[in-house]
Amino acid sequence: MKKLFISAISILFISLNAFSQDSGSEAAFQPNGKPLVTIYSDFRETIQDGESKPAFELSRSYFGYVYNFSPVFSSKVVFDVSSKAGLSPSSYTAYVKNAFGEYKTKLVVVDFGMISTSTFKLQESTWGKRYLLKSFQDLNGFSSSADLGAAVKFQLLPQLSVDAQVLNGEGYQQLQSDSAMKVAVGLTFQPIKNLNVRVYGDYMKKDAAQKTFNAFLSYTGKSFTLGGEYNYQEGNKMVSDHNLSGVSFFGTYKTSKKVSVFARYDNLTSNTLSGASDPWNKSKDGQLYVAGLEYFPVKGVTLSPNIQYTDPKLASLKPTTTLLMNVYLYF
C-alpha cells in the first residue's frame, strides 16, 4: 500500500506541469510571501484538593513564512517554540513544525515534507480554540499534529473528498528513521451546506500494531457551531493491548461580532490489562468539562476567560478546577 501511494505521488508530480499550464493566470501572477506569527499566553489559577496555584504562562509561539511561487505552487515553514511543562524556571524548546512544498488546484492538493497530519486537522479547525485547549486526539496522545511524509487530497465531487498520507509516524518533536511508517486514509462528505461528515483510519506497526479510527460530525451555521467525534485506538504508541477510546462534543454560539460563548465535554477511557485492577491509562482517564467566552476586540487579538474542570475516573485522584484568562495573538 505504501509503494502504491508513493508511486501515485510520483505520477502526480510528473504530471503537474501539464495540469498547471494557464498562461493568463501565470502572466498576471506575481510571486509573493508573508510572515506568520502566533502567540498563546494565559494566566491560570489551578485549584485541587483545596490548594490553589496561580501562574502566568507563555505556552507556545509559532514563527513562520509562506511563499507562493505560482498560483499552484507554494512553500511553508513554521517553527514551534513551546514551554516544557513542569520545569522551573520555564524552559523553551524550538522545533520545526512545518517545512513543506505544496501543489494545489481545485481538484488535487499534494504536500511533501514536514506536513500537517490529517488525523484531527478538521476537528481542530472546527473547534477553533487551539490556543486554550487542544482537540481531543491531540490532547490525549492519539497522534501528532505534524510529521515527515507525503500527502494527497482529491476533490472527487463538490461534496466529497478523499485524502491519504504516508508518514514517518513519530511526530515532529521526535524524528526517527526506522521501519515503522504510518499509512492514513480519510474521507470527508458534505451532504448539505455547512454539514461535514468525516471518517478516518490509520495503521502503523513495529513490534505491535497501532490502529486508529475516528468519526467526526459538525455543523457550522451563521452564528453557531456544533461538533462531535468518536475515537478508538488499538495499540497506543505501538504497545500491545494498550487501547484508548473516547468522545468529544463542543459548541460555540456567537452572540455578537465581538463575543461568542462556548462549551466542550470530553471523556477518555482505556482498557484494563489481564491481571490488573485498574485501566492501564488510569492517571489520564476521565472527563473534562470546559466553558467560557471569547472576546475579539480587534483583528488579531482574542481574549478568553474560561473554566476547565477535570474529573478523573480513578477515585484516588482528585478533581481539578482551572480558571483561565487565555490570550491569542496572530499576525
Side-chain angles (χ1 to χ4, degrees):
M1 186 174 181
K2 289 184 286 188
K3 291 182 179 179
L4 178 63
F5 179 74
I6 294 171
S7 298
I9 292 288
S10 301
I11 294 170
L12 278 169
F13 274 113
I14 293 171
S15 306
L16 293 184
N17 189 51
F19 282 112
S20 61
Q21 296 303 314
D22 186 341
S23 57
S25 61
E26 290 287 349
F29 180 84
Q30 293 294 324
N32 61 88
K34 65 176 182 178
L36 302 172
V37 178
T38 302
I39 299 171
Y40 301 162
S41 183
D42 66 74
F43 172 77
R44 62 181 59 213
E45 181 98 13
T46 303
I47 305 167
Q48 185 180 54
D49 198 23
E51 295 186 6
S52 177
K53 296 180 180 179
F56 284 97
E57 289 188 341
L58 179 61
S59 58
R60 180 168 259 112
S61 299
Y62 295 112
F63 304 94
Y65 196 84
V66 175
Y67 189 79
N68 300 300
F69 301 98
S70 77
V72 294
F73 285 100
S74 64
S75 182
K76 181 178 182 179
V77 60
V78 175
F79 291 92
D80 176 357
V81 182
S82 56
S83 64
K84 288 189 173 182
L87 293 185
S88 181
S90 297
S91 177
Y92 290 85
T93 304
Y95 300 94
V96 177
K97 176 69 179 287
N98 292 126
F100 64 89
E102 180 175 85
Y103 169 79
K104 183 177 182 180
T105 69
K106 291 182 179 180
L107 299 180
V108 63
V109 180
V110 181
D111 293 331
F112 188 89
M114 183 71 77
I115 62 177
S116 296
T117 62
S118 59
T119 315
F120 47 80
K121 191 174 183 179
L122 179 60
Q123 290 93 314
E124 185 172 89
S125 63
T126 307
W127 162 237
K129 299 163 185 59
R130 170 64 182 82
Y131 69 95
L132 65 88
L133 187 66
K134 297 177 180 179
S135 57
F136 182 90
Q137 291 185 75
D138 194 10
L139 182 65
N140 295 295
F142 279 67
S143 175
S144 175
S145 59
D147 204 347
L148 273 173
V152 60
K153 176 183 176 182
F154 294 101
Q155 194 69 43
L156 303 179
L157 298 168
Q159 304 86 3
L160 179 66
S161 67
V162 60
D163 55 88
Q165 296 188 326
V166 174
L167 304 165
N168 191 50
E170 307 292 344
Y172 70 98
Q173 294 187 0
Q174 47 181 6
L175 300 177
Q176 297 180 20
S177 298
D178 54 33
S179 59
M181 296 189 73
K182 180 186 289 186
V183 179
V185 178
L187 185 147
T188 305
F189 180 51
Q190 192 176 71
I192 61 173
K193 186 178 180 180
N194 300 326
L195 178 65
N196 284 306
V197 181
R198 178 170 171 81
V199 291
Y200 165 92
D202 65 42
Y203 177 89
M204 65 184 299
K205 183 177 180 180
K206 192 182 292 184
D207 297 325
Q210 175 184 287
K211 306 172 186 177
T212 306
F213 171 77
N214 167 266
F216 176 64
L217 177 68
S218 70
Y219 183 84
T220 302
K222 186 176 181 180
S223 59
F224 71 95
T225 298
L226 295 173
E229 62 178 303
Y230 168 76
N231 301 278
Y232 178 76
Q233 187 170 79
E234 181 181 319
N236 177 256
K237 311 299 184 191
M238 290 183 289
V239 178
S240 181
D241 205 29
H242 276 205
N243 306 330
L244 294 173
S245 62
V247 295
S248 179
F249 302 98
F250 60 83
T252 300
Y253 179 71
K254 199 167 186 178
T255 60
S256 68
K257 289 184 178 181
K258 290 186 177 292
V259 178
S260 66
V261 295
F262 62 87
R264 175 171 150 183
Y265 167 78
D266 291 1
N267 189 10
L268 175 70
T269 61
S270 61
N271 61 306
T272 301
L273 303 178
S274 178
S277 57
D278 296 315
W280 69 268
N281 197 42
K282 60 185 179 181
S283 63
K284 298 180 180 179
D285 286 355
Q287 301 176 83
L288 169 66
Y289 302 84
V290 183
L293 64 85
E294 290 181 297
Y295 174 56
F296 316 101
V298 295
K299 184 178 180 181
V301 178
T302 302
L303 307 176
S304 176
N306 63 92
I307 181 171
Q308 301 180 17
Y309 177 79
T310 58
D311 185 12
K313 184 175 182 180
L314 199 63
S316 60
L317 297 178
K318 303 295 184 180
T320 301
T321 301
T322 307
L323 306 174
L324 298 106
M325 170 57 78
N326 291 86
V327 180
Y328 173 36
L329 307 174
Y330 61 95
F331 53 93

